[in-house]
Amino acid sequence: MKRKLTYPVLRDGGSLVYQWAPCYRIWATERAGKIVIIANRTGLISLSRICMTLARSGTSCPLHDHLEVGTDLEDGSTELTLVLEGDGCGVEGTPTGDLGEVVFDIPVAGSRIDREFRLGPSERVESAIDGDGLTITASREGFVALARIFMILAEPEARFGTRVVLSRSSGLGDGPAIEIEKAVPAEDGAPSRPRAWRIWASEAWREEGRGDAEPLVDGTLLLDDRARALFAEACGLVASPSDEGAAEGLPWRLSDMPEADGVVYEEMDLAQGEDGGVWIRRYALAPEHIAGYDLFRLKGDPTCGIYASQRLFERWLDAGLAGLAFQLVWDSSYEEQPVFATPDDDGPAWIDEV
């Protein structure tokens, strides 16, 4: 299976920048004398991008990168430093404005990969633990190998809790073993501020008819078996058999979604186009009225929109499903909610596919 990854390209001067995948979660810690890195699917993709940025940098001097608690790493982590082999001058890089691209061959789809991953002769990786942090030093080829490991674990078919261990027997240097594990999704009841993500058809679905789900204009969803299982497990919503999308591999229809009476009408801003169609320019929702819903419609919404909670949005990303795009339309922590100038406005946060 081929997987394409894009990443920032660096040149001399300035400082390193990241290309984080949305809703990433990464922990780094020392456990039983090993360096342990745990990340959800988008965290694994983010780590893979950082490794490729280091590996393919065009700088004349080596690079090092610090992942810190509170900004890059989850609470309870220990600072993790990634060092391109031969570091000493401290010169970092700045983006060229372009993205690099690499295609990985992922051989493990559909199987467990709890095993040691063997490094090649040129894929040098060293590790160290001190009182203040964790350090991984690698050659350029070593960082490519680490990027590939992260992408293998990010595969939807890799089960949560799956891990790869690098040790001396797998080509690691004399330092402590490195254990990389795929984190479980955000748990039910985990704290999350109320947000509303509007669901649209992704670009891949619009252009190629490819994906696990398709939103319809009447406020329902067509689903394949994987998407049907996700919505049943995450939301308790049961889809019905449907012939409408069967030819595209979407034999299920999800129409029985709850309606949340969460619209604050005096603050909602509606607009009407020349064709008579109505869209919502600015959303105003009551947090206490939508907090209990993961997939829902809004009572009184003239657009027949479908909305997802933050938890469901993250679960969709963790599952690696395709076909839906998500647009952040309302956030309980924002004093000023986003305004959408046209029905086709892709701001302020539009997540297509990861």
Side-chain angles (χ1 to χ4, degrees), residues 75-157:
D75 291 345
S77 296
T78 303
E79 180 178 292
L80 174 65
T81 303
L82 304 176
V83 184
L84 186 63
E85 191 175 62
D87 179 62
C89 64
V91 175
E92 296 184 343
T94 188
T96 63
D98 300 322
L99 292 177
E101 183 177 295
V102 62
V103 177
F104 289 110
D105 185 12
I106 307 295
V108 296
S111 65
R112 292 189 63 83
I113 55 172
D114 292 39
R115 62 183 177 86
E116 288 198 347
F117 187 98
R118 298 199 60 81
L119 297 168
S122 63
E123 296 171 344
R124 294 184 298 278
V125 180
E126 304 280 346
S127 59
I129 300 175
D130 59 39
D132 298 322
L134 316 171
T135 302
I136 296 176
T137 303
S139 64
R140 295 182 187 275
E141 293 82 2
F143 273 119
V144 174
L146 289 172
R148 183 168 177 266
I149 292 172
F150 289 131
M151 289 299 289
I152 288 173
L153 287 172
E155 275 295 297
E157 288 79 7

Side-chain angles (χ1 to χ4, degrees), residues 5-9 19 48-49 52-53 56 98-102:
L5 179 75
T6 59
Y7 55 91
V9 179
Q19 187 188 18
S48 187
R49 286 172 172 164
M52 287 307 305
T53 295
R56 299 288 170 82
D98 300 322
L99 292 177
E101 183 177 295
V102 62

Side-chain angles (χ1 to χ4, degrees), residues 176-239:
I178 301 172
E179 184 176 292
I180 305 168
E181 180 179 332
K182 186 173 187 177
V184 299
E187 297 179 357
D188 293 349
S192 177
R193 68 178 182 266
R195 279 179 151 187
W197 292 84
R198 178 146 184 176
I199 293 176
W200 305 88
S202 71
E203 182 178 349
W205 182 264
R206 292 194 304 267
E207 294 184 355
E208 305 170 23
R210 175 177 57 83
D212 299 280
E214 178 194 4
L216 303 179
V217 294
D218 63 355
T220 63
L221 291 170
L222 295 180
L223 311 173
D224 66 5
D225 290 337
R226 294 204 310 160
R228 175 199 179 207
L230 173 76
F231 288 122
E233 188 272 332
C235 308
L237 297 177
V238 179

Side-chain angles (χ1 to χ4, degrees), residues 12-33:
D12 283 336
S15 59
L16 184 64
V17 297
Y18 304 128
Q19 187 188 18
W20 297 110
C23 303
Y24 71 90
R25 293 184 293 133
I26 304 170
W27 294 263
T29 188
E30 181 270 333
R31 186 171 65 196

Side-chain angles (χ1 to χ4, degrees), residues 278-352:
V278 176
W279 79 93
I280 301 174
R281 295 185 68 247
R282 185 180 64 250
Y283 287 75
L285 305 180
E288 66 276 12
H289 290 172
I290 70 166
Y293 298 99
D294 282 316
L295 186 71
F296 59 95
R297 300 190 189 94
L298 288 172
K299 187 175 181 180
D301 178 3
T303 69
C304 298
I306 308 171
Y307 301 90
S309 69
Q310 179 70 19
R311 190 184 77 91
L312 181 61
F313 169 56
E314 293 189 28
R315 294 290 291 270
W316 177 271
L317 296 180
D318 275 334
L321 300 177
L324 300 182
F326 294 80
Q327 183 182 40
L328 181 61
V329 296
W330 178 86
D331 189 315
S332 60
S333 67
Y334 289 178
E335 292 184 3
E336 293 293 333
Q337 299 297 331
V339 176
F340 303 97
T342 71
D344 302 320
D345 192 345
D346 287 349
W350 176 276
I351 309 298
D352 201 322

Side-chain angles (χ1 to χ4, degrees), residues 1-70:
M1 180 182 298
K2 304 293 184 182
R3 289 294 186 192
K4 182 173 69 174
L5 179 75
T6 59
Y7 55 91
V9 179
L10 305 185
R11 295 291 182 262
D12 283 336
S15 59
L16 184 64
V17 297
Y18 304 128
Q19 187 188 18
W20 297 110
C23 303
Y24 71 90
R25 293 184 293 133
I26 304 170
W27 294 263
T29 188
E30 181 270 333
R31 186 171 65 196
K34 296 182 292 188
I35 292 177
V36 179
I37 300 172
I38 304 172
N40 66 349
R41 179 173 179 268
T42 52
L44 292 164
I45 293 171
S46 300
L47 287 167
S48 187
R49 286 172 172 164
I50 292 172
C51 288
M52 287 307 305
T53 295
L54 291 169
R56 299 288 170 82
S57 65
T59 58
S60 58
C61 294
L63 299 173
H64 64 273
D65 183 34
H66 302 285
L67 301 183
E68 299 180 346
V69 181

